Amino acid sequence: MFNTIKTATLSALIGLGTLAAVPAHADSIYLGFGNDNDPRVGVYNGDDDGYRREHRRDRDWRRACSPERAVNKAERMGLRRARLVDINRRTVKVAGRQYGDRVVIVFANERGCPILNR
């Protein structure tokens, strides 16, 4: 009887260890024992409904600096009446006023809108 309990305990520890080895990029892990609506029993991993991946795919600001993002960043930097002046493949130029002077800020057209020239 004691051997059976030891075997069951060891099997449970090995099972929990394999559960801990599930990849970290899994969106959800479901441990189900069944209920009225879902009679399945077991451990499942998978996506919720694909919402997060689709939502990330729609964000174009991860790939480039959008004009709206550049203007917002310039306003946060203290530019008044910031407006888009020029955009091309590599740069986004935003002009405005700061301390009464006309200022042009040039952002790189890549993720995060890094500042090239002020």
Side-chain angles (χ1 to χ4, degrees):
M1 181 69 180
F2 187 68
N3 255 356
T4 306
I5 293 173
K6 279 195 322 187
T7 305
T9 305
L10 185 61
S11 298
L13 288 175
I14 291 173
L16 289 175
T18 57
L19 182 63
V22 171
H25 67 275
D27 288 335
S28 64
I29 297 175
Y30 171 70
L31 179 61
F33 295 107
N35 59 18
D36 294 335
N37 299 330
D38 190 12
R40 297 182 296 172
V41 176
V43 177
Y44 308 98
N45 69 0
D47 298 338
D48 294 336
D49 59 354
Y51 170 75
R52 288 185 177 163
R53 265 187 277 126
E54 293 299 322
H55 186 65
R56 284 187 192 135
R57 201 173 290 143
D58 290 339
R59 295 186 204 167
D60 63 341
W61 60 265
R62 286 185 172 262
R63 290 185 291 267
C65 179
S66 70
E68 296 85 16
R69 193 163 187 74
V71 169
N72 287 339
K73 188 170 183 176
E75 287 175 347
R76 287 193 314 265
M77 291 172 61
L79 239 62
R80 294 177 185 230
R81 294 184 296 187
R83 66 190 183 284
L84 183 68
V85 175
D86 185 30
I87 185 169
N88 61 30
R89 207 176 87 210
R90 296 178 186 240
T91 62
V92 178
K93 292 181 184 177
V94 177
R97 297 262 176 189
Q98 190 172 28
Y99 306 118
D101 296 328
R102 186 170 186 270
V103 178
V104 176
I105 300 177
V106 181
F107 296 102
N109 195 359
E110 60 184 47
R111 179 180 173 196
C113 296
I115 300 168
L116 294 179
N117 191 8
R118 182 171 181 172

